[in-house]
């Protein structure tokens, strides 16, 4: 079905696909149960099953996959494919390449999740990136931060401009701005530990302007090198 006032729109094939009212210049290539909802003009769903571009998410694209969703007002956003991926409300210019259960939350504009499983960029963490991996999180307001991959790595709230390259269970804690963990396991940059670095290793911990590497190193004094 192409509904009223959805002028210049196309459904190439498939079953149960719908371009709804005022979604002009939109396209569904095929698949089943896909919907471009009202007032989401210039949008595209390539195929797949039960994918949805919701109202006012204009100029958005879902390439395929299953039950992927671009929510209202998430304009100019893209989900390439995968399963159960979501770009939430008011999150414009954002991208999820694929994977499963990945989410870019409200107002995390200009953010990207490349793929992987159950990765999350939380509210207002705009301009942030998770490359892939499993259960990685960039939390609220940690804008312009990045996690390359790995498992259960976390950049906590307000830890802006921070990076975790990969590894397992690494954490940059709250307000630890401009900090870096290269990889390894269970490394921690402490709260407010700005400009801190852990290149890798295991169970290392640092504070402001400090550097720790190896195993169980504790750079707990400002500017320490351990």
């Amino acid at each position: 079905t192409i509904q009223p006032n959805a002028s210049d729109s196309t459904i190439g094939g498939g079953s149960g696909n719908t371009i709804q009212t005022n979604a002009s210049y939109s396209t569904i290539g095929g698949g089943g149960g896909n919907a471009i909802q009202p007032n989401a003009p210039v949008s595209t769903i390539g195929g797949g099953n039960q994918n949805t571009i919701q109202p006012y998410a204009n100029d958005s694209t879902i390439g395929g996959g299953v039950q992927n969703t671009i929510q209202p007002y998430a304009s100019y956003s893209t989900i390439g494919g995968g399963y159960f991926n979501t770009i939430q409300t008011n999150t414009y210019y954002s991208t999820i390449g694929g994977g499963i259960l990945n989410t870019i939350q409200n107002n995390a504009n200009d953010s990207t999740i490349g793929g992987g499983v159950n990765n999350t960029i939380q509210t207002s963490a705009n301009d942030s990136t998770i490359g892939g991996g499993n259960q990685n999180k960039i939390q609220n307001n940690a804008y312009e931060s990045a996690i390359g991959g790995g498992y259960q790595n976390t950049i906590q709230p307000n830890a802006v401009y921070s990076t975790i390259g990969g590894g397992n269970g690494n954490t940059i804690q709250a307000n630890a701005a401009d900090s870096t963990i290269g990889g390894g396991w269970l490394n921690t940059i402490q709260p407010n530990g700005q400009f801190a670095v852990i290149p890798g290793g295991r169970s290392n911990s640092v504070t402001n302007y400090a550097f720790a590497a190896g195993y169980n190193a504790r750079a707990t004094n400002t500017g320490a090198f351990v």
Side-chain angles (χ1 to χ4, degrees):
T1 305
I2 298 176
Q3 293 184 356
N5 299 311
S7 58
D8 300 277
S9 294
T10 302
I11 298 176
S15 174
N17 298 304
T18 306
I19 298 175
Q20 296 181 6
T21 304
N22 298 317
S24 302
Y25 305 101
S26 293
T27 301
I28 298 177
N34 299 301
I36 298 174
Q37 294 185 349
N39 301 296
V42 203
S43 293
T44 301
I45 297 176
N49 188 19
Q50 298 182 3
N51 299 300
T52 306
I53 297 175
Q54 294 185 352
Y56 300 99
N58 55 282
D59 298 270
S60 293
T61 301
I62 298 175
V66 177
Q67 294 188 36
N68 298 300
T69 305
I70 298 176
Q71 292 186 354
Y73 297 98
S75 302
Y76 308 100
S77 292
T78 301
I79 298 175
Y83 292 76
F84 312 111
N85 298 301
T86 305
I87 298 175
Q88 293 186 353
T89 303
N90 296 314
T91 305
Y92 52 83
Y93 296 108
S94 290
T95 301
I96 297 175
I100 301 171
L101 291 168
N102 297 303
T103 304
I104 300 176
Q105 294 185 355
N106 301 337
N107 300 301
N109 305 315
D110 299 282
S111 293
T112 301
I113 297 176
V117 179
N118 201 24
N119 298 302
T120 305
I121 297 175
Q122 293 186 352
T123 301
S124 300
N126 51 286
D127 299 285
S128 292
T129 301
I130 297 176
N134 191 336
Q135 299 181 47
N136 298 301
K137 292 182 181 179
I138 297 175
Q139 295 184 343
N140 299 338
N141 299 303
Y143 54 83
E144 298 191 43
S145 293
I147 297 175
Y151 178 68
Q152 290 189 341
N153 298 301
T154 304
I155 298 175
Q156 292 187 355
N158 301 305
V160 300
Y161 309 111
S162 292
T163 302
I164 298 175
N168 186 340
N170 298 302
T171 305
I172 298 176
Q173 294 186 346
N175 302 303
D178 298 277
S179 294
T180 301
I181 298 175
W185 283 38
L186 303 173
N187 297 301
T188 304
I189 294 178
Q190 298 174 1
N192 305 305
Q194 300 178 9
F195 300 96
V197 176
I198 299 173
R202 182 173 179 179
S203 300
N204 301 300
S205 180
V206 300
T207 188
N208 284 316
Y209 301 96
F211 178 101
Y215 174 66
N216 204 30
R218 294 285 186 265
T220 55
N221 296 314
T222 298
F225 186 102
V226 181

